[in-house]
Amino acid sequence: MFMTISTTGTPERPATDLGFLLHKHPDKAQTFSTSHGTAHVFYPEASPERCTAALLLEVDPVALVRRGKGKGRGGAPDAALASYVNDRPYAASSLMSVAITAVFNSALRGDCRAMPERAAAPLPLRIEVPALPARGGAELVRKLFMPLGWARVDAEPVPLDERFPEWGDSRYVRLVLEGELRLCDALRQLYVLLPVLDDAKHYWVAPDEVDKLLRAGEGWLATHPEHRLITSRYLSRRWGLTRQAEQALELVRLAESDDLDVESVDNAVDEATDTPERPVPLAQQRREAILSALHDAGAARVLDLGCGQGQLVQALLKDARFTEIVGVDVSMRALTVAARRLKLDRMGERQSRRVTLRQGALTYTDKGLRGYDAAVLSEVVEHLDLPRLPALEYAVFGAARPRTVLVTTPNVEYNVRWETLPAGHVRHGDHRFEWTRAEFRAWAGEVADRHGYTVAFTPVGPDDPEVGPPTQMAVFTRAESDSTTGGKSTDEREKEAKAA
Ligand code: SAH
């Protein structure tokens, strides 16, 4: 297994600084023993103009097999011979990524006491891996590295045997990456993507692999177009771990987009309606409609899902009929504002026992959300990408299953009545879609059918004879017998019934 890292330099910034950044002196060849063999670091060239560090890992295949770690994903070694004669000593793979941590640990963290500013800045890099096992071929290699800021990603298939081109290509590619990146970013990418491409992790994937993946993926994995493939392969397709990782990445993504939208969401809607003709802001009319629907349903313990900055939670707290209120939002910033609005820190004990704010993504089932009388999704669904909506649907209607669910969302038909809204625009930049009344009814009807609820619709705001009201609300009520099975939710309900 072999990999080189090269950089170029100038008289002021000599290429040999690479030695400081990697914490390995260019004049010395060094040897390290890792759990699977011996790693050597040496510099085939080291001048102020150009410097190359090479990492060579000598794997002991016999030791690998004896440790029972040379197995494929299937478990047992294929055959007696195959388990000794394998490609591990030659191919860059997950073992290489173990070697990267063992040998370049400080560089991976971006630490460099001698030259912190050099470590923090991009430098011209060229990385070459002559034999990279790549399940998915050169095309996948390009898909994985191209979005990461490299100017050149060369992945050339290595023929099975040069003398017999008709045999086609092997599963190896020769990889060359060139571009201006921080050294630590380049190493973190390799640390994750080499084993992802190899797709045959040699060791048991332990739960702390999720943390390692997230740490190494910081700053690039959450927004990588192939993040799902990367997490799934890196975690050897262990569904539970992959889900954990994906959930964490979703939080990262939402927290990033959050910087743009949280503050403006409510204000945008409020300001748009705060005109003399409509003295009661739409947001307030919506809260009143929700409170009255919750009263009608006789709900006492209520979830406010996507609670934002806590205006509804505040209104619920003022009404003694609501004995327990849980606000959930993915945005830490929104929750902080909500906590301040509610003065959570100065609240008396009796009040504070009634209210909880917690961070969570609504597209993941959460056992803690079971057993409530009602859930409110006020102006939330339109913030999700349409393909994520079934996940939210399942989490709320399939798993949490409160007796009543209220969903409000803009009625896009009404948009022509907003004077301030340019034609064809949604009401807020973060709205992924806005539905017509017919579209909302179709969605709500299907959800109700799938999960054993009935649904009724209530207009919120002035109900225009032509285009309808600005906000549409669906009131879902769980069928009393709860006999309709909603696909996967049956299990959940059986468990719930047992618990009760
Ligand atoms: N319910 C409030 C806020 C609506 S704004 C109101 O009616 O005024 C939408 C809120 O949903 C935002 O606070 C956003 O952070 C939250 N949100 C969006 N997607 C989410 C998700 N997947 N999980 C949890 N909260 C989410």
Side-chain angles (χ1 to χ4, degrees):
M1 281 193 219
F2 190 65
M3 176 174 96
T4 57
I5 304 171
S6 313
T7 188
T8 51
T10 58
E12 306 82 62
R13 293 166 166 265
T16 41
D17 284 354
L18 186 63
F20 287 105
L21 299 177
L22 289 173
H23 298 248
K24 300 288 171 281
H25 199 289
D27 292 346
K28 281 193 289 189
Q30 296 182 56
T31 298
F32 305 82
S33 65
T34 76
S35 48
H36 306 287
T38 312
H40 304 275
V41 181
F42 55 95
Y43 289 74
E45 56 184 336
S47 72
E49 298 79 42
R50 220 186 132 73
C51 181
T52 296
L55 174 62
L56 170 72
L57 182 62
E58 275 183 294
V59 176
D60 177 356
V62 176
L64 204 59
V65 173
R66 292 233 174 93
R67 287 158 171 270
K69 290 175 178 173
K71 300 170 185 171
R73 247 179 310 115
D78 310 337
L81 187 63
S83 49
Y84 286 92
V85 185
N86 62 34
D87 68 349
R88 300 296 90 179
Y90 316 109
S93 70
S94 50
L95 298 182
M96 196 58 149
S97 116
V98 172
I100 290 175
T101 19
V103 178
F104 297 134
N105 198 19
S106 309
L108 200 58
R109 286 201 310 266
D111 292 347
C112 181
R113 224 175 289 156
M115 317 187 145
E117 71 299 333
R118 279 287 253 155
L123 71 164
L125 284 175
R126 181 180 193 280
I127 290 177
E128 180 169 349
V129 187
L132 171 68
R135 206 164 145 75
E139 198 185 326
L140 182 60
V141 177
R142 281 189 285 269
K143 264 199 204 156
L144 292 184
F145 284 100
M146 280 310 283
L148 294 176
W150 295 97
R152 174 178 165 213
V153 177
D154 254 15
E156 220 179 276
V158 176
L160 208 50
D161 189 321
E162 272 162 12
R163 294 163 302 169
F164 303 103
E166 65 277 17
W167 288 6
D169 294 327
S170 67
R171 56 185 285 260
Y172 300 93
V173 301
R174 173 175 164 268
L175 172 70
V176 177
L177 301 170
E178 281 179 12
E180 297 245 341
L181 269 83
R182 291 191 310 172
L183 181 64
C184 63
D185 290 331
L187 289 174
R188 286 175 196 165
Q189 295 169 9
L190 292 168
Y191 171 81
V192 172
L193 296 179
L194 294 185
V196 161
L197 284 162
D198 189 15
D199 201 22
K201 236 175 176 188
H202 64 283
Y203 53 86
W204 177 242
V205 176
D208 73 338
E209 288 294 315
V210 175
D211 292 334
K212 287 187 196 162
L213 172 64
L214 294 173
R215 237 177 293 134
E218 209 186 300
W220 63 272
L221 183 54
T223 51
H224 195 296
E226 298 293 335
H227 63 86
R228 243 171 254 278
L229 176 138
I230 297 171
T231 52
S232 152
R233 279 197 183 187
Y234 186 90
L235 298 164
S236 297
R237 297 189 175 76
R238 290 196 51 203
W239 162 237
L241 298 181
T242 305
R243 195 181 113 109
Q244 259 179 45
E246 279 298 318
Q247 182 163 11
L249 293 178
E250 178 138 331
L251 288 174
V252 171
R253 280 190 297 274
L254 286 162
E256 278 167 5
S257 69
D258 173 41
D259 283 344
L260 305 172
D261 70 63
V262 167
E263 236 157 29
S264 40
V265 172
D266 243 310
N267 303 341
V269 176
D270 270 356
E271 274 161 24
T273 53
D274 217 356
T275 57
E277 309 87 86
R278 278 186 288 273
V280 184
L282 181 58
Q284 190 182 326
Q285 295 189 46
R286 210 162 32 228
R287 284 193 289 279
E288 284 163 6
I290 290 168
L291 287 172
S292 116
L294 289 173
H295 283 169
D296 292 348
R301 303 177 61 238
V302 178
L303 299 168
D304 183 7
L305 305 177
C307 64
Q309 305 181 3
Q311 291 91 336
L312 178 65
V313 173
Q314 187 174 40
L316 290 166
L317 263 174
K318 287 192 185 135
D319 187 330
R321 272 179 283 195
F322 302 109
T323 56
E324 194 181 334
I325 305 143
V326 180
V328 181
D329 205 287
V330 75
S331 157
M332 224 29 230
R333 251 181 32 144
L335 290 175
T336 310
V337 176
R340 230 179 289 141
R341 175 191 306 276
L342 301 171
K343 304 192 175 68
L344 271 191
D345 52 339
R346 275 170 283 160
M347 207 177 250
E349 201 192 315
R350 259 190 55 208
Q351 280 291 77
S352 75
R353 250 186 284 140
R354 285 174 65 208
V355 60
T356 315
L357 296 180
R358 50 195 268 203
Q359 192 187 23
L362 299 171
T363 41
Y364 291 88
T365 47
D366 178 345
K367 291 198 185 84
L369 301 185
R370 286 197 202 149
Y372 285 82
D373 299 329
V376 180
L377 286 154
S378 163
E379 308 296 284
V380 173
V381 291
E382 66 276 9
H383 287 266
L384 271 80
D385 289 322
L386 273 172
R388 301 295 289 146
L389 214 48
L392 173 134
E393 174 193 330
Y394 178 68
V396 175
F397 294 90
R401 286 191 77 66
R403 220 180 81 80
T404 304
V405 181
L406 306 181
V407 177
T408 77
T409 193
N411 163 23
V412 70
E413 296 166 82
Y414 193 89
N415 286 3
V416 294
R417 296 283 185 267
W418 297 129
E419 278 146 32
T420 48
L421 200 67
H425 276 242
V426 294
R427 295 182 200 177
H428 184 266
D430 194 50
H431 286 182
R432 308 303 161 91
F433 58 86
E434 284 177 354
W435 274 329
T436 61
R437 283 167 293 174
E439 285 167 332
F440 181 50
R441 279 162 194 253
W443 173 79
E446 283 166 23
V447 169
D449 283 351
R450 274 195 287 270
H451 298 281
Y453 283 75
T454 57
V455 60
F457 300 90
T458 311
V460 181
D463 196 355
D464 186 285
E466 234 176 278
V467 296
T471 295
Q472 33 188 353
M473 178 161 82
V475 181
F476 296 84
T477 309
R478 200 177 61 207
E480 213 57 72
S481 63
D482 203 12
S483 57
T484 316
T485 46
K488 284 190 247 170
S489 61
T490 320
D491 258 356
E492 308 276 347
R493 248 173 291 145
E494 273 168 11
K495 267 188 233 151
E496 240 179 44
K498 265 184 211 148

